Structure formats: structure tokens, C-alpha cells
Amino acid sequence: MELQSTVTDTALLFEGGGMRGVYTAAVVETLVNEGIFIDYVAAVSTGSTSLLNYISRDPARGRKMFVNLADDPTFTPWKSWIRGKGLVDTDFDSYGPDGILPFDYEVFMANPAKMRIGSVDSATGETLWWSKDDIRGVDDLMKKKMAASSPPIYMPAVTVDGRLMIDGSLGEGGGIPLPIALKDGYAKIFAVFTQERGYVMPKQKSTPIVELLFHKHPAVEEAILRQSTVYNSTHEQLLELEREGTACLFFPDHVEVSTLSRDQGAQRKAYDAAKEQASREVPRWKEFLGL
């Protein structure tokens, strides 16, 4: 199987956002349908699911996850919490050929696109950026994707290679994987957001529940408290790169679903709106990417 990239000088970045990933899923479908295959993709949190779907060139998988399964009983928060799975039971993301969301690992690995998935070490606060070289089979890939998508309080941490890992949005970039793309040498950035252009993340204050839960894990508490500052700084940095002409940014025109949305109708409406917006923006994207 021989797959080729059509863009080789740009980093594609996916923000997280839980069920707001429906906006990214619509962008992924548009990119794939338009033959826009960027050969470097970085993501954190729920954005890592869109990364897998984009590199495996299976946009229908994202639509099914963020729309069709939105009101599936598996998603019921209190039942999932009781089972010790957190507010979203990510076991639903069964990826075998007979699973709910089969995943084509062969295509994923055959695609020449490089990938970076970010997760945070709960003991040190260090961000680990996994590449394909770090993947030891599909089970390992899915475990690392889950680790990158496990926000404290809402989801249990995931042990990877003996390290207890949490959501990558609490690390470098604050939820936007710009730092690793720049570190890897990319000067052109295509970033997909799940918040509107003018969004500013509110400052997180320490609360008794945070102190109680993480008094033995100070690095996690520190990461939670600094996230808004890091996120807002990275967001502004990308806006500046856009003004300079070295970044192309997608922001949903209107964000009308929440991180934990379970309303299939609202998810479908959001997907359709994002798909229509993305179609309008394709000429701008192609001009920026030199296509």
C-alpha cells in the first residue's frame, strides 16, 4: 500500500475539546475529501482521535464517534463513573475489525505522515510527545491515545511504560500542540480549533476538591492551575503567526456544543455547520498550502 502526502512543509495541529471534537471531525472529512494530505500532524486530548482518523484516512470514523454515538448508552456519565471509567468510557472506542469503531492500523502505519501525540507525566509535569517510532502495535497506539485524552477528575490516569500519564492539554501549549511543531522545525502551521476565534480560557483557581484530589500529585495541580495562562499565550502566538502569514487557522463560526455534549441532534447540527464552513474555507486553505 503506497500512500503519499500532498503537503510536506506544514504542521497540522488539532486542539482537544471533548465532544467539541465534532468540529475537527468535519475538518478532517473535508481535508481527506479534498486530497489535502499534510505529512506532519500533532494533537493532544480528543484531538488525538482526529489525528488517528486523519492519518488512517477514515473521516467516517470521526463522524460516527462524535455524532452517531453521542447519545449511545456507553456515554452515560454516571454509569461510566461508577464503573471506574471516568465521565466517558473510552472502551467504547473498540478498534478491532468487529468493534464499534474499527481502526485501520495498516493504513495508519503505511501513511508517510509523521505524528506527535502529547501526554503529561503526572509525577513530573513533563510533556511526552509520542511519534510512530514509539508505537509498538495497535494496542500500544490506543493506550497512548487514551493517555493523551484523560483529563484529571474526569478520567482516570493511564499507565504507560510505568509512568502515570494524564491529558496532554495540561502540558506544553496548554491544549494546542504548537510547541512541538516548532521544535520539530515547522515554520508553517495549519491549526484546527474547537473554540471560537475570540475565546479566552478563564483562569483556574485552586479549589478544595482539586487540593484534596491532588495533594499527593502537586505536578498535576500545578498543571491545572497554569493551563489557562499557557493556552491563552499559545492562542495569541498563533494569531500573531496568522497575521504574519505563516499560519492558517480554522475556528468554528459558532460553538454550540459542550465538552460533554450527549445530544445527537446538536452534534449533527454542529458537524453539518462545520462541514459547510470548511467547504467555504477550502480555497483559502489551498492557497496557503500551495495547492
Side-chain angles (χ1 to χ4, degrees), residues 178-205:
L178 176 63
I180 189 62
L182 297 178
K183 191 179 299 182
D184 284 342
Y186 287 85
K188 289 183 66 177
I189 305 294
F190 187 112
V192 181
F193 289 81
T194 62
Q195 295 282 14
E196 296 175 18
R197 177 176 286 270
Y199 175 76
V200 176
M201 182 179 288
K203 184 175 179 58
Q204 173 70 54
K205 297 180 180 180

Short mmCIF file of all heavy atoms in Angstrom, two decimals, residues 178-205:
data_model
loop_
_atom_site.label_atom_id
_atom_site.label_comp_id
_atom_site.label_asym_id
_atom_site.label_seq_id
_atom_site.Cartn_x
_atom_site.Cartn_y
_atom_site.Cartn_z
N LEU A 178 1.34 23.53 19.47
CA LEU A 178 2.27 24.35 18.70
C LEU A 178 3.73 24.15 19.11
O LEU A 178 4.60 24.08 18.23
CB LEU A 178 1.89 25.83 18.83
CG LEU A 178 2.82 26.83 18.14
CD1 LEU A 178 2.85 26.60 16.63
CD2 LEU A 178 2.39 28.27 18.46
N PRO A 179 4.06 24.06 20.41
CA PRO A 179 5.48 23.97 20.79
C PRO A 179 6.23 22.82 20.12
O PRO A 179 7.36 23.01 19.67
CB PRO A 179 5.42 23.79 22.31
CG PRO A 179 4.14 24.46 22.71
CD PRO A 179 3.19 24.14 21.59
N ILE A 180 5.61 21.64 20.03
CA ILE A 180 6.33 20.51 19.44
C ILE A 180 6.52 20.71 17.94
O ILE A 180 7.55 20.32 17.37
CB ILE A 180 5.63 19.17 19.74
CG1 ILE A 180 6.50 18.00 19.31
CG2 ILE A 180 4.26 19.10 19.09
CD1 ILE A 180 7.83 17.91 20.03
N ALA A 181 5.54 21.32 17.26
CA ALA A 181 5.68 21.55 15.83
C ALA A 181 6.84 22.51 15.55
O ALA A 181 7.63 22.29 14.62
CB ALA A 181 4.38 22.13 15.25
N LEU A 182 6.96 23.56 16.35
CA LEU A 182 8.07 24.49 16.18
C LEU A 182 9.39 23.82 16.51
O LEU A 182 10.39 24.01 15.82
CB LEU A 182 7.86 25.72 17.08
CG LEU A 182 6.62 26.57 16.78
CD1 LEU A 182 6.52 27.72 17.78
CD2 LEU A 182 6.66 27.11 15.35
N LYS A 183 9.39 23.00 17.57
CA LYS A 183 10.60 22.29 17.96
C LYS A 183 11.04 21.32 16.87
O LYS A 183 12.24 21.10 16.66
CB LYS A 183 10.35 21.53 19.26
CG LYS A 183 11.60 20.95 19.91
CD LYS A 183 11.25 20.24 21.22
CE LYS A 183 10.62 21.20 22.22
NZ LYS A 183 10.34 20.52 23.52
N ASP A 184 10.07 20.75 16.16
CA ASP A 184 10.39 19.82 15.07
C ASP A 184 10.73 20.52 13.77
O ASP A 184 10.92 19.86 12.74
CB ASP A 184 9.22 18.86 14.86
CG ASP A 184 9.14 17.78 15.94
OD1 ASP A 184 10.15 17.56 16.64
OD2 ASP A 184 8.07 17.15 16.09
N GLY A 185 10.77 21.86 13.80
CA GLY A 185 11.28 22.61 12.66
C GLY A 185 10.28 23.12 11.66
O GLY A 185 10.65 23.54 10.56
N TYR A 186 8.99 23.14 12.01
CA TYR A 186 7.97 23.60 11.07
C TYR A 186 7.69 25.09 11.26
O TYR A 186 7.37 25.55 12.35
CB TYR A 186 6.68 22.79 11.23
CG TYR A 186 6.83 21.41 10.67
CD1 TYR A 186 7.37 20.38 11.45
CD2 TYR A 186 6.51 21.12 9.34
CE1 TYR A 186 7.57 19.11 10.92
CE2 TYR A 186 6.70 19.86 8.81
CZ TYR A 186 7.23 18.86 9.61
OH TYR A 186 7.43 17.61 9.08
N ALA A 187 7.82 25.83 10.16
CA ALA A 187 7.58 27.28 10.20
C ALA A 187 6.17 27.63 9.72
O ALA A 187 5.69 28.73 9.97
CB ALA A 187 8.62 28.01 9.34
N LYS A 188 5.52 26.71 9.00
CA LYS A 188 4.14 26.93 8.55
C LYS A 188 3.21 26.04 9.37
O LYS A 188 3.48 24.85 9.56
CB LYS A 188 4.00 26.60 7.05
CG LYS A 188 4.66 27.59 6.12
CD LYS A 188 4.39 27.21 4.66
CE LYS A 188 2.93 27.34 4.29
NZ LYS A 188 2.67 27.05 2.86
N ILE A 189 2.12 26.64 9.81
CA ILE A 189 1.21 25.94 10.72
C ILE A 189 -0.22 26.02 10.19
O ILE A 189 -0.70 27.09 9.80
CB ILE A 189 1.24 26.58 12.13
CG1 ILE A 189 2.67 26.63 12.68
CG2 ILE A 189 0.27 25.85 13.06
CD1 ILE A 189 3.28 25.28 12.96
N PHE A 190 -0.91 24.88 10.19
CA PHE A 190 -2.35 24.82 9.92
C PHE A 190 -2.98 24.27 11.20
O PHE A 190 -2.79 23.11 11.54
CB PHE A 190 -2.63 23.90 8.73
CG PHE A 190 -4.07 23.91 8.27
CD1 PHE A 190 -4.42 24.44 7.04
CD2 PHE A 190 -5.07 23.36 9.05
CE1 PHE A 190 -5.73 24.43 6.60
CE2 PHE A 190 -6.40 23.36 8.63
CZ PHE A 190 -6.73 23.89 7.40
N ALA A 191 -3.70 25.11 11.92
CA ALA A 191 -4.24 24.71 13.22
C ALA A 191 -5.76 24.69 13.20
O ALA A 191 -6.40 25.61 12.67
CB ALA A 191 -3.75 25.65 14.32
N VAL A 192 -6.33 23.64 13.79
CA VAL A 192 -7.78 23.47 13.85
C VAL A 192 -8.23 23.59 15.31
O VAL A 192 -7.83 22.78 16.15
CB VAL A 192 -8.19 22.10 13.28
CG1 VAL A 192 -9.71 21.94 13.32
CG2 VAL A 192 -7.67 21.94 11.85
N PHE A 193 -9.06 24.59 15.58
CA PHE A 193 -9.54 24.86 16.92
C PHE A 193 -10.96 24.33 17.10
O PHE A 193 -11.71 24.17 16.13
CB PHE A 193 -9.55 26.37 17.20
CG PHE A 193 -8.18 26.97 17.37
CD1 PHE A 193 -7.41 27.31 16.26
CD2 PHE A 193 -7.67 27.23 18.63
CE1 PHE A 193 -6.15 27.87 16.41
CE2 PHE A 193 -6.42 27.79 18.80
CZ PHE A 193 -5.65 28.12 17.68
N THR A 194 -11.33 24.12 18.36
CA THR A 194 -12.71 23.72 18.67
C THR A 194 -13.41 24.79 19.50
O THR A 194 -14.49 24.54 20.03
CB THR A 194 -12.73 22.38 19.43
OG1 THR A 194 -12.04 22.51 20.68
CG2 THR A 194 -12.08 21.28 18.60
N GLN A 195 -12.79 25.96 19.61
CA GLN A 195 -13.41 27.12 20.22
C GLN A 195 -13.45 28.24 19.19
O GLN A 195 -12.72 28.22 18.20
CB GLN A 195 -12.61 27.60 21.45
CG GLN A 195 -12.59 26.62 22.61
CD GLN A 195 -13.89 26.64 23.43
OE1 GLN A 195 -14.91 27.18 23.01
NE2 GLN A 195 -13.84 26.04 24.61
N GLU A 196 -14.29 29.23 19.44
CA GLU A 196 -14.38 30.36 18.51
C GLU A 196 -13.12 31.22 18.57
O GLU A 196 -12.35 31.15 19.53
CB GLU A 196 -15.63 31.19 18.84
CG GLU A 196 -16.92 30.43 18.63
CD GLU A 196 -18.16 31.21 19.07
OE1 GLU A 196 -18.06 32.44 19.21
OE2 GLU A 196 -19.21 30.58 19.28
N ARG A 197 -12.93 32.04 17.56
CA ARG A 197 -11.71 32.84 17.43
C ARG A 197 -11.43 33.70 18.67
O ARG A 197 -10.29 33.81 19.11
CB ARG A 197 -11.80 33.72 16.18
CG ARG A 197 -10.62 34.66 15.98
CD ARG A 197 -10.73 35.41 14.67
NE ARG A 197 -10.44 34.54 13.53
CZ ARG A 197 -9.23 34.36 13.01
NH1 ARG A 197 -8.18 34.99 13.55
NH2 ARG A 197 -9.05 33.57 11.98
N GLY A 198 -12.46 34.28 19.24
CA GLY A 198 -12.25 35.20 20.35
C GLY A 198 -12.21 34.56 21.72
O GLY A 198 -12.17 35.24 22.74
N TYR A 199 -12.20 33.23 21.76
CA TYR A 199 -12.25 32.54 23.05
C TYR A 199 -11.00 32.82 23.90
O TYR A 199 -9.88 32.80 23.40
CB TYR A 199 -12.37 31.03 22.83
CG TYR A 199 -12.30 30.22 24.10
CD1 TYR A 199 -13.38 30.15 24.97
CD2 TYR A 199 -11.14 29.52 24.44
CE1 TYR A 199 -13.32 29.40 26.14
CE2 TYR A 199 -11.06 28.77 25.59
CZ TYR A 199 -12.17 28.71 26.44
OH TYR A 199 -12.09 27.97 27.59
N VAL A 200 -11.23 33.07 25.18
CA VAL A 200 -10.15 33.22 26.16
C VAL A 200 -10.44 32.25 27.29
O VAL A 200 -11.52 32.32 27.91
CB VAL A 200 -10.05 34.66 26.70
CG1 VAL A 200 -8.99 34.75 27.79
CG2 VAL A 200 -9.76 35.65 25.57
N MET A 201 -9.53 31.35 27.58
CA MET A 201 -9.76 30.38 28.64
C MET A 201 -9.72 31.06 30.00
O MET A 201 -8.75 31.76 30.32
CB MET A 201 -8.70 29.26 28.59
CG MET A 201 -8.92 28.17 29.64
SD MET A 201 -7.69 26.83 29.55
CE MET A 201 -8.21 25.99 28.04
N PRO A 202 -10.76 30.90 30.80
CA PRO A 202 -10.78 31.54 32.12
C PRO A 202 -9.73 30.94 33.05
O PRO A 202 -9.39 29.76 32.95
CB PRO A 202 -12.19 31.28 32.63
CG PRO A 202 -12.66 30.08 31.87
CD PRO A 202 -12.00 30.16 30.53
N LYS A 203 -9.24 31.76 33.95
CA LYS A 203 -8.21 31.31 34.88
C LYS A 203 -8.79 30.31 35.86
O LYS A 203 -9.86 30.51 36.43
CB LYS A 203 -7.62 32.50 35.64
CG LYS A 203 -6.46 32.15 36.57
CD LYS A 203 -5.86 33.39 37.18
CE LYS A 203 -4.71 33.05 38.12
NZ LYS A 203 -3.63 32.29 37.45
N GLN A 204 -8.06 29.22 36.06
CA GLN A 204 -8.48 28.19 37.01
C GLN A 204 -7.92 28.51 38.39
O GLN A 204 -6.73 28.75 38.55
CB GLN A 204 -7.97 26.82 36.55
CG GLN A 204 -8.21 25.70 37.53
CD GLN A 204 -9.67 25.33 37.66
OE1 GLN A 204 -10.33 25.05 36.68
NE2 GLN A 204 -10.18 25.33 38.89
N LYS A 205 -8.78 28.55 39.38
CA LYS A 205 -8.34 28.79 40.75
C LYS A 205 -8.31 27.47 41.51
O LYS A 205 -9.07 26.55 41.23
CB LYS A 205 -9.29 29.77 41.44
CG LYS A 205 -9.31 31.15 40.80
CD LYS A 205 -10.28 32.07 41.55
CE LYS A 205 -10.32 33.45 40.91
NZ LYS A 205 -11.26 34.36 41.62
#
